[in-house]
Amino acid sequence: MNNEPEINNSAAHTSAPSSAPAPVTVIGLGLMGQALAAAFLRAGHPTTVWNRTAAKAGQLVADGAHLATTVDDALRASPLTVICLTDYDAVRELLGAAEPALDGQTLVNLTSGSSAQAREAARWAGKRGARYLDGAIMAVPPVIGTADAVILHSGPAADFAAHEPALAALGTVTHLGEDHGLAALYDVAGLAMMWSVLNAWLQGTALLRTAGVDAATYAPFARQIAAGVAEWLPGYAGQIDAGAFPAEVSALETDARAMAHMVEESEAAGVDAELPKLIQAMAARAIAAGHGAEQYPVLIEEFSRPRAV
């Protein structure tokens, strides 16, 4: 199985479908669900919506959506149903009450959850005759329907291809692979990147504030550093995939000395040193295991094993 993402940078405003826009149903009208339904409407798709609180559909109905009175009616209204609810338990509860309508339906579940929940939901849907794609939304509601909204999908490629023209109304659609859990895994991997970058920036900001430097002054410098580090990723990825970590730029034992300085500086400035100490501890374990002469990506071995609590 090839798990490389197949990126399709098509969006609703960049290409016209070869036939009339297909009917779509959206179940769940929180802020994100409303944005999804609105994007389908703007792209010309006949759109049916359902929400436990029907009042949330008011603007969408005014814009041309059809409000289904039951989940069963919502499912039967379209060959494609996009679901965006609070959690997978809510998805199972709603769909379980309308099982007969699932047969022959394609479900695209954009509810946030784990990879295990995604795989289980796919099995559950398949036993009831439904095709299933799991997904993750890497965007905020205001950008849905633009190329800046990245929507991840995982599951059978044929099912994705069959509904790609409709799904492209939501933004930049991406098929990751056949494994239904991939979208959820990419989602949490993205969150790990996001919070790690933000935490590193906050650590640096806290340090500089002790010298009277405000966050706005530091931010452009931090952005430049973050962009520079991002350029290292393809080369580091090559080392990880090859399982070889030659010190082409810097050895880990050299990096460890700078980590010690980061800890010392934080403590001397009266700034919380928990984050730099964590970074230092992971490097120390790798060095103790004999990897001090190798390059920083060798720490993948530390990240790849569970740590006893």
Side-chain angles (χ1 to χ4, degrees), residues 12-24:
H13 61 279
T14 60
S15 61
S18 57
S19 58
V24 177

Side-chain angles (χ1 to χ4, degrees), residues 65-92:
H66 169 69
L67 177 61
T69 56
T70 67
V71 175
D72 192 279
D73 289 341
L75 289 166
R76 295 183 188 280
S78 312
L80 174 66
T81 294
V82 175
I83 306 163
C84 187
L85 299 175
T86 55
D87 54 40
Y88 278 69
D89 288 339
V91 172
R92 180 75 62 87

Side-chain angles (χ1 to χ4, degrees), residues 173-286:
V173 293
T174 303
H175 183 247
L176 301 171
E178 299 276 330
D179 178 357
H180 286 95
L182 282 174
L185 285 174
Y186 267 77
D187 187 23
V188 295
L191 292 175
M193 284 289 298
M194 178 184 74
W195 285 324
S196 295
V197 170
L198 288 174
N199 286 341
W201 175 68
L202 291 171
Q203 181 77 31
T205 298
L207 278 167
L208 287 167
R209 287 176 69 189
T210 66
V213 179
D214 60 25
T217 299
Y218 173 49
F221 175 80
R223 184 177 182 180
Q224 184 178 20
I225 292 294
V229 171
E231 293 298 316
W232 303 347
L233 299 184
Y236 280 8
Q239 289 193 344
I240 291 171
D241 291 341
F245 308 94
E248 299 167 348
V249 176
S250 177
L252 184 61
E253 57 192 6
T254 301
D255 294 334
R257 290 192 286 273
M259 294 172 192
H261 176 61
M262 183 170 59
V263 171
E264 293 164 4
E265 189 72 59
S266 296
E267 292 178 335
V271 169
D272 190 303
E274 182 177 4
L275 178 60
K277 282 182 176 179
L278 173 62
I279 297 169
Q280 183 186 46
M282 296 188 77
R285 289 195 295 268

